[in-house]
Amino acid sequence: MKDATRCIIHPTVSTEGFDSLAVPVHRASTILFKDAATYAARTQRDLDGYSYGLHGTPTTRTLEAQLTALEGGLRTVLVPSGQAALAVVLLTVLMPGDCVLIPDTAYPPLTGLCRGYLEPRGIAWRIYPADGAGLAAMLDPSVRLIWMESPGSTTMEVQDVPAIVALARGHGILTGIDNTWATPLLFKPLAHGVDFSMQALSKYVGGHSDLLLGSVTVSDMDLRRRLRDTMRMLGLGISPDDAALALRGIETMALRMAHVGAVALDFATRLQAMPGMGEILHPALPGSPGHALWQRDFKGAAGLFSVVLPERADPLLDAALNGLQTFRIGSSWGGTRSLIAPMSVKSSRTIPHPRNDRTILRICIGLEDPADLWADLTALCTALGLDG
Ligand SMILES: *Cc1c(COP(=O)(O)O)cnc(C)c1O
């Protein structure tokens, strides 16, 4: 064998006695076939087999299987971002002439996808109120999918998922949910009959603000096949390195979620007790929209909640935020670092509500010592005149 050939053919070493706790990272585009007949039959491989790196490696399959188990589903597909997960579901279900119903409180880039991509291609979308009022009257034969997001983006409204699923099923309509806030640790949509459970793995699963990934889990093989068909045609797949980061993140997710959930609820409760405070939007607080539904359906609360600022605090906000010591200013969330993001929801909402006109501080609790975070938050409240 000449050296140039030797450079290309890697020696095979024994894996005997090597049993690592870490999931191996398998990088691959080409998959080899043991003989000509197997190669000729490659298109008959079922979707759980290996045909090309884009369509799965043992690393990505491990993440799929782990998410499937946590979600209590049958199969999971993995895509490069949470937004791609939303897109893959909608592009799989909807044909020209069809309609999707979206809650008013959805992650705004979802309506961006509907308005900017689907609508010009003849797919309709309509907004319904997060509490489902009037939803039944909106159902007609063009409606193929009812989307949900619970709690809602920034304003944290909890939806009545079982009721919406029952309504949809009665009309042969599919349902899907953005379960990024709760993760399957706190809410299992498939157990309530939801057809597509979607997560931005970029948040709590990744857990360290350095990963972009999305997943969709289903309980039905045909839906899984249709999702995979869409992904194959669009050329969507994920890197095994990213899958390995997600698998590492999942190992600590239960502990991280329990911690940030407890700290966030403690802070939300203490903030609510401040005399000059605005409305606190946290599903576990009585009075927060959908609190009773949260109590009925969720196992706990995550580390993300919001504060509606009274109007008088607006002129003080920039200086107050600039004085933060431990919190950083930023959107996205679910990492180790605590974040505060001043949000305005008005431009992304169609159904009027008084809080849509207010500045809303979205607070993501991370893993810093709670005493440092509370010192920062109380200083912020003082600077905003909310503490008395
Ligand atoms: C972040 C987020 C997404 C999008 O995820 P990306 O990976 O950033 O594309 C979707 N839904 C919710 C609720 C999110 O918070």
Side-chain angles (χ1 to χ4, degrees):
M1 193 187 288
K2 304 272 191 257
D3 277 354
T5 308
R6 212 183 288 282
C7 284
I8 291 162
I9 300 173
H10 301 297
T12 305
V13 300
S14 168
T15 53
E16 177 68 31
F18 178 79
D19 192 7
S20 167
L21 273 172
V23 179
V25 176
H26 294 277
R27 304 188 61 86
S29 54
T30 297
I31 309 287
L32 298 175
F33 296 84
K34 71 176 186 328
D35 55 30
T38 319
Y39 182 76
R42 70 191 180 285
T43 55
Q44 268 92 62
R45 287 191 175 187
D46 79 11
L47 290 177
D48 294 317
Y50 299 108
S51 57
Y52 187 46
L54 185 65
H55 308 315
T57 62
T59 315
T60 61
R61 291 276 190 272
T62 306
L63 178 57
E64 287 174 5
Q66 188 141 20
L67 291 169
T68 299
L70 285 171
E71 297 266 10
L74 198 56
R75 288 294 186 282
T76 296
V77 300
L78 299 169
V79 288
S81 68
Q83 177 70 1
L86 294 166
V88 161
V89 173
L90 268 56
L91 292 172
T92 295
V93 171
L94 302 167
M95 296 293 280
D98 292 345
C99 178
V100 55
L101 302 183
I102 308 273
D104 191 37
T105 51
Y107 176 68
L110 173 61
T111 44
L113 168 72
C114 293
R115 183 182 292 110
Y117 192 91
L118 299 180
E119 190 180 310
R121 286 161 178 80
I123 295 167
W125 58 289
R126 271 178 279 150
I127 296 291
Y128 70 93
D131 67 4
L135 185 60
M138 295 174 74
L139 304 184
D140 65 44
S142 75
V143 176
R144 281 280 125 70
L145 176 68
I146 301 177
W147 193 253
M148 292 171 276
E149 182 175 333
S150 183
S153 202
T154 304
T155 42
M156 316 296 297
E157 296 87 345
V158 181
Q159 296 197 263
D160 193 341
V161 173
I164 293 174
V165 168
L167 178 67
R169 291 217 155 164
H171 289 75
I173 295 168
L174 292 169
T175 53
I177 190 166
D178 187 329
N179 197 37
T180 301
W181 182 85
T183 82
L185 295 181
L186 303 182
F187 183 61
K188 295 197 194 295
L190 300 176
H192 293 279
V194 175
D195 296 296
F196 301 97
S197 178
M198 167 265 161
Q199 285 184 77
L201 305 178
S202 317
K203 307 291 166 45
Y204 283 126
V205 167
H208 295 76
S209 312
D210 57 2
L211 180 70
L212 291 161
L213 224 48
S215 66
V216 183
T217 306
V218 294
S219 319
D220 178 276
M221 275 304 196
D222 187 55
L223 289 181
R224 184 271 191 126
R225 183 191 54 74
R226 289 168 62 193
L227 291 168
R228 285 286 297 270
D229 283 349
T230 305
M231 289 168 58
R232 183 170 38 75
M233 288 184 274
L234 294 177
L236 291 177
I238 71 155
S239 145
D241 299 288
D242 286 346
L245 283 178
L247 285 161
R248 172 190 286 213
I250 286 177
E251 292 182 20
T252 55
M253 183 166 69
L255 282 177
R256 288 186 283 109
M257 295 278 294
H259 176 77
V260 299
V263 174
L265 180 55
D266 176 42
F267 285 3
T269 308
R270 286 152 80 177
L271 289 171
Q272 197 175 42
M274 289 185 182
M277 182 55 64
E279 188 184 11
I280 308 289
L281 301 170
H282 185 304
L285 288 185
S288 197
H291 168 69
L293 297 171
W294 173 83
Q295 263 186 324
R296 186 190 68 187
D297 294 343
F298 286 65
K299 256 179 97 174
L304 186 81
F305 68 102
S306 297
V307 176
V308 185
L309 289 186
E311 203 170 352
R312 64 187 153 75
D314 279 351
L316 309 169
L317 182 58
D318 286 5
L321 289 175
N322 293 345
L324 289 169
Q325 301 295 309
T326 309
F327 280 90
R328 299 299 307 266
I329 302 169
S331 43
S332 198
W333 46 275
T336 56
R337 195 69 198 257
S338 294
L339 299 170
I340 294 193
M343 312 286 279
S344 166
V345 300
K346 194 178 181 68
S347 62
S348 58
R349 300 286 161 96
T350 23
I351 299 168
H353 191 286
R355 68 171 81 91
N356 293 359
D357 301 319
R358 298 270 71 82
T359 301
I360 301 177
L361 290 187
R362 197 180 67 185
I363 300 175
C364 161
I365 298 300
L367 301 182
E368 305 91 338
D369 191 298
D372 287 330
L373 294 173
W374 184 247
D376 224 13
L377 269 188
T378 47
L380 180 80
C381 291
T382 304
L384 291 172
L386 304 175
D387 57 348

